[in-house]
Amino acid sequence: MARHLEEKDLEKLMLTAEQVQQKVEALGAEISRDYAGKDLLLLSVLKGSVIFMADLMRAITIPAEIDFMAVSSYGSGTKSSGVVRIIKDIEIDLEGKEILIVEDILDSGATLSYLKELLLGRNPSSVKVVTLLDKPSRRKADIRADYVGFEVPDEFLVGYGLDYAEKYRNLPDIGVLKPEIYTA
């Protein structure tokens, strides 16, 4: 497989594409069991979770709708500003739906906590969260994911949808970005 030029910017590899795919398959099987016979809506939080969402929805074996929201609390920085903006709202009526928010990484939790409260106000049956990566050491909001792929340390991760200044999302693996890249 051809390697990406951006890989030279990685300090180390955290998770291989193969490890990620195995975990996505396991999460898909678990979600399929838990939501069998229910009106499931997978809600991707753009842009970071789009790759995870695409793989996860193919690993889910029950009928499910999908939709997308774009929210921002980062801008182009490396730390959350704490102010959440809805850039693109959901287009489906949520009343009675079983919503599963699909996130790439659960970090401070501020954005996800805000989003979950917003969605609960729209009368769904439930709102749960699946995240590929969980970084509990950075948590500021009182929120946990219902489904977690990997717990990761407090390092700056890129690849498989995760970015720095809109770059590195297309890397197949997840790696730690060299500090000189984001501190320059």
Side-chain angles (χ1 to χ4, degrees):
M1 175 193 277
R3 301 319 298 173
H4 293 256
L5 291 174
E6 295 92 349
E7 287 181 344
K8 69 181 179 350
D9 295 342
L10 298 182
E11 187 173 88
K12 66 181 177 182
L13 188 64
M14 180 68 64
L15 296 163
T16 66
E18 293 76 21
Q19 289 173 302
V20 170
Q21 288 309 312
Q22 287 175 352
K23 186 59 75 172
V24 170
E25 290 293 325
L27 287 168
E30 185 178 0
I31 291 165
S32 297
R33 279 191 307 274
D34 291 353
Y35 284 92
K38 296 182 179 174
D39 194 7
L40 177 60
L41 171 66
L42 299 171
L43 179 58
S44 175
V45 181
L46 297 173
K47 300 177 188 171
S49 71
V50 73
I51 294 172
F52 177 41
M53 171 78 148
D55 288 346
L56 181 65
M57 62 192 259
R58 290 183 296 214
I60 291 174
T61 58
I62 60 169
E65 291 180 78
I66 65 167
D67 207 339
F68 301 88
M69 285 186 84
V71 300
S72 176
S73 68
Y74 283 84
S76 62
T78 61
K79 300 244 188 285
S80 175
S81 68
V83 177
V84 179
R85 292 185 5 233
I86 303 292
I87 297 165
K88 182 211 173 296
D89 206 344
I90 195 165
E91 298 174 4
I92 296 173
D93 179 14
L94 300 181
E95 187 147 350
K97 298 266 186 215
E98 303 278 350
I99 300 172
L100 184 59
I101 301 171
V102 179
E103 265 286 24
D104 54 348
I105 187 165
L106 178 49
D107 197 324
S108 74
T111 301
L112 192 57
S113 180
Y114 172 85
L115 184 59
K116 190 171 180 181
E117 287 304 311
L118 176 75
L119 295 171
L120 283 168
R122 297 179 184 182
N123 300 317
S125 290
S126 70
V127 178
K128 292 188 177 181
V129 176
V130 58
T131 187
L132 181 63
L133 305 174
D134 188 12
K135 203 185 278 189
S137 64
R138 302 236 329 134
R139 197 82 73 247
K140 290 184 171 64
D142 184 21
I143 190 163
R144 292 179 330 141
D146 301 278
Y147 303 91
V148 175
F150 300 95
E151 188 172 305
V152 294
D154 186 13
E155 297 188 88
F156 199 107
L157 303 176
V158 295
Y160 196 74
L162 298 160
D163 76 303
Y164 169 65
E166 296 299 325
K167 293 182 176 74
Y168 309 102
R169 290 189 197 278
N170 61 320
L171 294 176
D173 304 310
I174 297 172
V176 177
L177 192 62
K178 290 179 180 174
E180 57 265 27
I181 303 295
Y182 59 88
T183 58

